[in-house]
Amino acid sequence: MALATAAPRGQQADPGTPAFEAETLKHFQALLQRDTSSPPGNEIRAVEYLKEVLDAEGIPYQVFAKDPQRPNLVVRMKGNGKKKPVLIMGHTDVVTVDPKKWTFPPFGGTVDGGYVYGRGTVDDKDNLVAALMLVLHIKRAGIALDRDVILLAEAGEEGAPDVGAQFMADNHLDAIDAEFCLAEGGGVVRSGGKVRQANIGTTEKEPRPVEIIVTGPAGHGSVPNQNSAVLAVSAAVTKVGQWKPPLRLNETTASYFKRLATMAEPAVAQQYRALLNPDPKVHGPAEDWMLVNEPGHWSMTHTSLVPTIITTGFRYNVIPSEAKATFDVRLHPDENQDTFLEQLRKVINDPKVEVRWARDRYRPAGGSKLTTEAYTVLEAMVKKHYDTVALPTMGTGATDMSNIRAKGPQCYGIGPATDTEDGQKGFSAHSDQERILVDELHRFVRFQYDVVMELARTK
Ligand SMILES: [Zn+2]
């Protein structure tokens, strides 16, 4: 493992300079080369590297671990305390890979044709390296701060928040508590090589699966049984599939569609405007259009229930005595969870069908305001670096911001620019392969740096 070389004092390279970018790339590649795929995670490999870099600079840190192989690392750059801290999160784990599907090694960090290839390039070692470069520069340049800048390199984002964000929020909140936090969960969309929109994650839906179970008489498959568990569960799944929970708009989505309507093709813009119309005769058809044409946008404005698992039966000539279906339910943050199952039971309308939550709440829904200092700064920096409008966005998936938001901080999801075409080619987060444009990595590092400086630097 190569030790990071510290720039001599007083000669620190500023963001945007070739030396700064070369160092960014070096740390980025080193982090990508540490296989932290989860499961099992082994985030300690990334943490060991971060410790080496920080030790070489004389920057102190703390390590908190529920599982010794899966530690979280916290760096606090002290400010004068005039304002409450800002927290920057980056997760050290990545999703698993199928090496056969990779042109370049998944843990190689290969640079080729203007891209860096590797698992974690856009999820989430980009955020992590940006936060690392930020604290290194604060230290080297001796920047005076009005608020502490905290870096949290967190474990377990990919499916194990109990060792990462949830563990930190529940057990070590004092180490990371902040007024604002920045994390993955947003990003800039490019298509045809041009920036189209910049999404700032301000709220997200809450995942909470539901299962339905029917037990009934078993019997011989040669004799029809109208009360069979299989038939009852199938009928229930069909009814749920046809159910459309009501349209729900909030500050984020209302603002999102209003702004998107100013940027979209006229026919599509008309649908967005119709969606915002309170008259059901106007927004109803727009909802239907969206469900077919832009299901992601439909999900942003509704609680969604998608059947994902049906289990029953073991041989063709036996009518099984039990059948079960599981729904991936993504609750809108305004959904009433106390009455939701009751509504669902009414939709299914069959007393034989038991309806229950498949797990407790683990990523509580929450939202952050659009009227904060941080949001205003994010909007201004989006304009400066990407020359586009910031769109507050509701994530249909969940991020670790949910655990932090639940404790009070206002959290905003950010990310580098990626090409929509690249997603279609299978290079996005969690895809068969993953890559980032080198130039967009550097632009994102400058963007994040400017955001934090605007929020924290003593003026
Ligand atoms: Zn991620």
Side-chain angles (χ1 to χ4, degrees), residues 91 123-124 157-158 184:
H91 65 84
D123 182 13
D124 182 35
E157 196 278 339
E158 304 293 356
E184 65 172 351

Side-chain angles (χ1 to χ4, degrees), residues 169-239:
D170 290 345
N171 300 285
H172 301 288
L173 185 62
D174 52 338
I176 56 167
D177 200 14
E179 180 175 11
F180 302 122
C181 94
L182 301 175
E184 65 172 351
V188 177
V189 180
R190 298 192 349 167
S191 63
K194 283 173 71 176
V195 167
R196 303 291 170 180
Q197 66 186 78
N199 298 330
I200 308 283
T202 53
T203 182
E204 57 192 47
K205 296 175 80 183
E206 178 171 339
R208 200 173 176 198
V210 165
E211 53 195 22
I212 61 173
I213 298 122
V214 180
T215 51
H220 198 288
S222 64
V223 181
N225 180 349
Q226 288 304 298
N227 288 319
S228 96
V230 177
L231 287 176
V233 154
S234 304
V237 168
T238 302
K239 283 182 197 162

